[in-house]
Amino acid sequence: MRAFVFPGQGSQKVGMGGELADASAAAREVFEEVDEALGQKLSAIMREGPEDQLTLTENAQPAIMANAIATLRVLESEFGVKLSDAGGCVAGHSLGEYTALCAVGAFDLATTARLLKLRGQAMQAAVPVGDGAMAALLGADIEKATALAAAAAEGEVCEVANDNDPTQVVISGHKGAIERAVALVKDHGIKRGVLLPVSAPFHCSLMQPAADRMAEALADTPPGPLALPIYANVTAAKVSDPDEERALLVEQVTGRVRWRESVLAMRSDRVESFVELGGKVLGPMIGRIDKDAATTSLITLEDLEAFAKENG
């Protein structure tokens, strides 16, 4: 069985989607529809920058989604490979879970763009700039990261945000606590701690105001039926029920991204290959989680053509 997976924040870069848009009307239509839904020329920021505008959470989230969905639409319309026929399930990393839901028809493209714009704005507004931070712990497994976070908290929030793979865990919380954690890494047998260039402490309890805003938004625009099941970030379990998934999307704002566990769950459910659409971030993580899992990243027209030839 094959899983289609969708990248999260950090995979954005100036120029993203430009080649596809130049080559395919299907891709251009995606970017135009997202621009219209948001009332802004997001496609111009994606193509030309400036980088600091693209990196803004409220722009990066819909931009990464738009790029991945454009890649999927080109695969489906130009090369005749339908996701629902070629795949058995989907998953996405953080905002990528929304992209995955768009890919399986639970949200239409315009709704997904608006939800991600709001999600980015709400996450940014939840904590004053400078009060929160995140750090990647390199050479850390989940047990070491959890122990470090507990030791560094000292009454502040310091929580595991992303369990990415066996060698990388991300922590999130109050700036002071995260800085203490980085200073303590060696004491906990962790190779290195690196502060991340993010504008807010995502996926921790400080994000509760953003979770509340997403609960309201998702009550108004709930997901519809899913063409394929999705593996949810916060449970690392397969979900097919739209109401269950809606509740999990709200939890996801403050909850841990259980990516490593999600990949292992898909592997135990007989997923043999993973296809990442619109990025090359998750494939390497999956390889570190299970070296026997086959991974493919589809970014360029050439990637799509090669994949279609092999799977036509």
Side-chain angles (χ1 to χ4, degrees):
M1 186 164 65
R2 180 186 290 121
F4 283 92
V5 296
F6 299 88
Q9 203 157 333
S11 61
Q12 74 277 355
K13 62 179 181 180
V14 174
M16 65 193 297
E19 183 198 333
L20 283 182
D22 289 341
S24 168
R28 286 195 297 277
E29 284 167 13
V30 169
F31 298 131
E32 288 164 7
E33 188 175 340
V34 169
D35 284 352
E36 189 174 339
L38 299 181
Q40 72 173 120
K41 288 291 286 182
L42 183 63
S43 60
I45 297 172
M46 291 168 67
R47 187 184 275 265
E48 300 157 15
E51 189 174 358
D52 63 341
Q53 287 297 305
L54 180 59
T55 306
L56 282 176
T57 299
E58 66 176 78
N59 290 332
Q61 293 199 25
I64 291 163
M65 179 279 297
N67 184 56
I69 294 299
T71 308
L72 173 62
R73 294 275 175 87
V74 173
L75 181 65
E76 293 187 329
S77 64
E78 310 268 344
F79 297 106
V81 179
K82 299 289 183 197
L83 180 135
S84 54
D85 296 333
C89 61
V90 294
H93 191 284
S94 191
L95 78 91
E97 191 164 343
Y98 285 80
T99 316
L101 289 165
C102 181
V104 296
F107 292 126
D108 63 37
L109 178 60
T111 298
T112 312
R114 285 191 288 264
L115 284 171
L116 285 174
K117 182 78 171 178
L118 173 66
R119 184 176 181 268
Q121 291 170 335
M123 291 169 93
Q124 185 61 67
V127 179
V129 173
D131 284 7
M134 298 180 77
L137 305 177
L138 308 179
D141 59 22
I142 190 66
E143 288 78 17
K144 287 178 180 176
T146 303
L148 172 63
E154 295 183 11
E156 292 187 310
V157 171
C158 188
E159 297 166 4
V160 171
N162 301 1
D163 180 8
N164 285 334
D165 66 43
T167 68
Q168 190 201 89
V169 178
V170 176
I171 54 173
S172 182
H174 285 111
K175 188 178 183 207
I178 300 302
E179 288 173 344
R180 286 193 293 275
V182 169
L184 289 169
V185 290
K186 300 286 190 202
D187 297 346
H188 288 261
I190 294 167
K191 190 168 156 189
R192 199 148 59 99
V194 181
L195 287 170
L196 296 177
V198 294
S199 52
F202 306 132
H203 298 292
C204 75
S205 52
L206 295 175
M207 287 286 112
Q208 189 57 49
D212 295 341
R213 285 186 68 186
M214 292 312 296
E216 292 171 15
L218 289 162
D220 293 335
T221 53
L226 286 66
L228 294 175
I230 188 168
Y231 283 74
N233 282 185
V234 293
T235 58
K238 185 161 62 175
V239 181
S240 296
D241 176 58
D243 287 335
E244 182 184 355
E245 177 59 18
R246 175 172 60 175
L248 294 175
L249 286 175
V250 176
E251 280 185 49
Q252 191 223 52
V253 180
T254 55
R256 180 185 305 173
V257 176
R258 298 177 182 269
W259 186 252
R260 178 184 59 85
E261 294 171 77
S262 296
V263 171
L264 293 175
M266 286 183 270
R267 289 290 280 154
S268 70
D269 289 343
R270 297 196 296 277
V271 170
E272 294 172 357
S273 65
F274 295 81
V275 179
E276 181 177 2
L277 285 160
K280 198 170 186 177
V281 179
L282 301 179
M285 284 185 197
I286 292 164
R288 290 190 289 271
I289 295 164
D290 186 340
K291 61 179 173 48
D292 295 324
T295 61
T296 308
S297 293
L298 304 183
I299 300 170
T300 67
L301 214 54
E302 290 76 19
D303 295 339
L304 295 169
E305 187 174 8
F307 181 80
K309 277 183 181 167
E310 288 172 22
N311 301 279

